[in-house]
Amino acid sequence: MAEKTLKKVDIIFAEYLVSPYKILEETIKRPKNEIIQEILDSGLRGRGGAGFPTGLKWKFGASAKAEPKYIVCNADEGEPGTFKDREILTKVPRKVFLGMGICAFVTGATKGILYLRAEYNYLIPSLNNELQIFHEKAKLLGLDFNITIFSGSGAYVCGEETALIESMEGKRGEPRNKPPFPVQSGYLGKPTIVNNVETFVSASMVCRIGAVEYKKLGTEDQSGSKLFSISGDTHKAGVYELELGMKVSEFVEEFGDGDTKAVQIGGVAGVCVPRKNFEATIIGQGSSSGGSTMVFNSTRSMYNVLHNYLEFFQEESCGQCTPCRVGCQQLLKGIEAIKAGTKPAEYLNQLMKLTETMKLTAKCGLGQSVGNSFNSIVTNFREEMIY
Amino acid sequence: MADIQVLVKELVNKYGTKREALIPILQGVVASERYLSSEAMIEIAKELDISAAEVYGTATFYSFLETVPRGKYVIRICRTIVCEMNGKKDVLKILEEILKIKVGETTMDKKFSLLETNCIGWCHQGPAMLINDEVYSQLTSDKVREIIQDYIRNK
């Protein structure tokens, strides 16, 4: 049995030992290429869920030619089971603006937008106060960068970066075809770097402690620490900063209630890990996750869990592409029919094939990822779907 | 000029007539009128020089941009998985009982509307709900009664 236990880290929410503005001042004295290289070396990946290498995104942003450039902070945190960005914006907003400021410096962007989901509107007054301070400091440092807040209006799909841009442009939040990627042609057709709230904080941490120190955290595959939003059947629900690369079994040991049946990793767009796979599964391996971890104990019906997920997807599908719009409806109808006995159990196989089609043909991550939770729940809890 | 024309004009003066001003303008109308009437949407379309269908299409995409009249206080209870597991159904039942309305309805005095919403980011303290922009979490039957009574009496 390995000795390794969960390593808790305290960087993201740590008190401001050094003023974020001091870090900004120090950082923007360095050559831009050096900062980008530092972020690349750190291995930092986007913390919103998709896990794109942050350094690479900044590099593309820096080499984009058109002006003005935009930096967008994606605070449209809608993945069920995720609430870490709200905690960051409540407790350490200065670190977010620091990260955005550094990004603006290296990419040459002059305009910043914080896209805040409507559900977090109550944060606007305090964030505006912080922004006032930020703007004063930026001016003193000679950094021409202004951040405004754009309030969302309630749509899960707007967490997808191109849907978010459409929404800021006053349109329905329907994802765009890619390419072009936002770093080439984003908001109003201009180069736009969209990063998650936590990504900006982590990037600023890399600038403060250096890539070498940062890489000491986590594993080769996934470096650094990450915020996990933990909820469900646990006595320790909340936000925790943990080193990456932990097994589900270690996680359950610490956060489970002793009767954990399954853990949903990465929100409803992620996978559901059953007890028999706890030991073999490393959280976020192969892909990054947004840090949503929902714990289910043996009193929970996995049919009800899946039903709730599918109602969510059906409602939040933007309706633009057929595979997702119709697929989500059919999956929900399908499991209801099987439960009611009007369709045979074998119909589940057909539904799983449908999720494969959705994965191949849906336009954005929403429709493509429905199959993650669907297949992992149906495969591992098949009898609960039928009886 | 009708009231709604005055309001739209004010918002246009504040946010401009470009397409990217549309959502802030729609939000401004909802904040003041509690919903987007056909008249309001037509007026906005005129000011922004786009078709009313574009305005309607955008407005109906977003769950916080109401296109039917709502009460002064819109209660949105979270129906996503963790809140559901932690007793959202009981909380909803109490709300329906106190307000004497069902989900999707508005009270006779136009004070409250009751809606369900997807994850609002308070899963660790579910069940949770929003009343306009205010969050209420760790709800129990008693707590919900107290909160609503307070709104009835004092707001």
Side-chain angles (χ1 to χ4, degrees):
Chain A
M1 184 80 185
E3 284 297 299
K4 198 177 166 221
T5 51
L6 283 191
K7 278 177 269 177
K8 291 184 185 168
V9 193
D10 183 24
I11 308 176
I12 293 178
F13 292 120
E15 280 181 52
Y16 301 125
L17 287 177
V18 187
S19 153
Y21 301 117
K22 187 76 191 159
I23 300 166
L24 184 62
E25 191 182 339
E26 295 298 319
T27 308
I28 64 176
K29 282 179 192 159
R30 299 169 61 185
K32 295 175 182 181
N33 287 342
E34 197 184 298
I35 300 171
I36 293 176
Q37 197 55 47
E38 187 96 60
I39 308 274
L40 280 168
D41 291 345
S42 74
L44 174 66
R45 287 168 173 272
R47 299 299 196 218
F52 190 80
T54 306
L56 212 50
K57 198 181 261 187
W58 289 23
K59 195 175 172 180
F60 292 149
S63 57
K65 288 285 173 274
E67 304 272 343
K69 293 178 187 174
Y70 292 90
I71 306 284
V72 176
C73 177
N74 183 348
D76 192 49
E77 178 176 53
E79 189 63 52
T82 319
F83 37 93
K84 56 164 184 100
D85 294 341
R86 180 177 51 70
E87 293 268 312
I88 292 175
L89 291 168
T90 306
K91 293 180 179 162
V92 288
R94 238 167 249 199
K95 294 187 185 180
V96 180
F97 301 140
L98 164 65
M100 290 177 77
I102 296 171
C103 184
F105 170 71
V106 301
T107 58
T110 50
K111 294 176 194 294
I113 303 166
L114 172 69
Y115 188 105
L116 188 73
R117 68 187 303 221
E119 290 82 347
Y120 296 169
N121 270 348
Y122 66 95
L123 289 171
I124 292 176
S126 64
L127 289 173
N128 271 329
N129 286 341
E130 277 296 328
L131 277 178
Q132 208 178 338
I133 304 171
F134 173 82
H135 289 139
E136 282 165 20
K137 298 283 181 186
K139 204 173 167 190
L140 284 177
L141 297 175
L143 184 69
D144 175 20
F145 182 57
N146 188 71
I147 303 174
T148 52
I149 297 175
F150 185 96
S151 169
S153 280
Y156 168 72
V157 72
C158 288
E160 199 279 341
E161 58 181 6
T162 60
L164 181 142
I165 290 169
E166 286 284 301
S167 169
M168 292 196 306
E169 290 183 356
K171 300 172 197 154
R172 294 165 66 86
E174 292 173 350
R176 295 176 177 174
N177 285 323
K178 292 195 261 191
F181 291 93
V183 284
Q184 298 142 359
S185 174
Y187 182 57
L188 305 176
K190 301 295 180 189
T192 307
I193 295 103
V194 186
N195 276 141
N196 169 262
V197 176
E198 186 185 348
T199 311
F200 281 119
V201 177
S202 296
S204 73
M205 277 163 40
V206 172
C207 292
R208 181 164 70 89
I209 65 177
V212 177
E213 277 301 306
Y214 191 77
K215 281 208 88 160
K216 285 182 185 166
L217 298 168
T219 58
E220 188 54 40
D221 191 34
Q222 309 177 65
S223 62
S225 63
K226 164 98 194 73
L227 292 182
F228 285 86
S229 309
I230 298 166
S231 65
D233 294 314
T234 165
H235 303 299
K236 299 181 182 172
V239 175
Y240 294 83
E241 185 174 358
L242 303 170
E243 254 188 76
L244 285 167
M246 63 180 150
K247 285 181 187 173
V248 179
S249 52
E250 295 168 324
F251 174 84
V252 167
E253 180 82 12
E254 175 84 22
F255 295 100
D257 64 355
D259 186 24
T260 305
K261 171 186 186 175
V263 180
Q264 181 76 28
I265 296 166
V268 300
V271 293
C272 187
V273 182
R275 190 183 285 155
K276 65 172 191 253
N277 295 344
F278 284 173
E279 191 59 32
T281 311
I282 290 176
I283 294 182
Q285 193 170 41
S287 66
S288 183
S289 90
S292 162
T293 33
M294 300 186 283
V295 188
F296 304 124
N297 71 18
S298 66
T299 67
R300 304 294 172 191
S301 151
M302 296 312 287
Y303 172 83
N304 288 347
V305 169
L306 182 59
H307 193 270
N308 187 286
Y309 290 1
L310 291 174
E311 280 181 330
F312 177 87
F313 280 126
Q314 181 191 248
E315 168 132 347
E316 295 293 348
S317 169
C318 80
Q320 184 186 194
C321 75
T322 313
C324 179
R325 182 183 67 245
V326 179
C328 291
Q329 290 169 0
Q330 290 304 317
L331 291 174
L332 179 60
K333 275 190 185 170
I335 66 161
E336 285 174 347
I338 291 162
K339 197 71 171 175
T342 53
K343 288 273 185 199
E346 294 73 49
Y347 191 57
L348 280 172
N349 303 340
Q350 224 164 319
L351 294 177
M352 283 204 279
K353 268 193 207 156
L354 173 59
T355 66
E356 288 304 317
T357 307
M358 290 168 72
K359 191 170 193 157
L360 290 170
T361 57
K363 189 166 176 178
C364 81
L366 195 157
Q368 289 162 9
S369 59
V370 174
N372 293 343
S373 48
F374 190 89
N375 290 351
S376 54
I377 292 177
V378 168
T379 309
N380 293 300
F381 303 97
R382 196 179 170 95
E383 66 290 356
E384 289 190 44
M385 301 301 122
I386 305 164
Y387 305 107
Chain B
M1 251 196 312
D3 289 351
I4 194 69
Q5 285 176 312
V6 176
L7 174 66
V8 169
K9 197 84 201 162
E10 271 174 28
L11 291 164
V12 166
N13 287 339
K14 186 172 175 192
Y15 296 110
T17 54
K18 287 189 182 149
R19 179 66 189 252
E20 56 269 30
L22 178 58
I23 290 180
I25 292 171
L26 294 172
Q27 288 166 339
V29 174
V30 173
S32 149
E33 304 296 303
R34 302 177 198 171
Y35 84 112
L36 294 155
S37 60
S38 310
E39 294 73 33
M41 286 188 272
I42 290 167
E43 200 53 39
I44 295 167
K46 272 187 208 156
E47 290 288 340
L48 266 58
D49 196 20
I50 52 178
S51 92
E54 284 278 336
V55 177
Y56 181 75
T58 304
T60 50
F61 186 85
Y62 298 95
S63 59
F64 279 59
L65 295 177
E66 304 290 351
T67 50
V68 291
R70 297 289 188 206
K72 185 176 177 193
Y73 299 105
V74 179
I75 303 171
R76 292 184 169 90
I77 180 157
C78 176
R79 64 163 158 228
T80 309
I81 185 69
V82 181
C83 283
E84 168 92 27
M85 280 161 51
N86 288 338
K88 166 249 166 184
K89 280 204 180 86
D90 297 334
V91 171
L92 183 59
K93 221 169 118 188
I94 298 288
L95 282 168
E96 291 182 330
E97 205 178 289
I98 306 173
L99 299 170
K100 299 185 180 64
I101 51 172
K102 297 275 175 218
V103 169
E105 296 176 349
T106 300
T107 52
M108 292 291 275
D109 62 0
K110 305 262 184 280
K111 193 158 180 179
F112 297 98
S113 291
L114 181 58
L115 303 175
E116 285 183 308
T117 193
N118 288 329
C119 191
I120 57 171
W122 286 85
C123 320
H124 58 318
Q125 293 182 15
M129 64 179 179
L130 288 167
I131 301 183
N132 292 352
D133 285 345
E134 290 295 316
V135 182
Y136 297 89
S137 64
Q138 291 175 315
L139 298 173
T140 58
S141 304
D142 288 345
K143 202 167 163 184
V144 170
R145 278 204 180 87
E146 266 173 43
I147 295 164
I148 301 299
Q149 290 305 339
D150 184 50
Y151 270 84
I152 290 172
R153 277 196 217 106
N154 306 323
K155 294 189 180 176

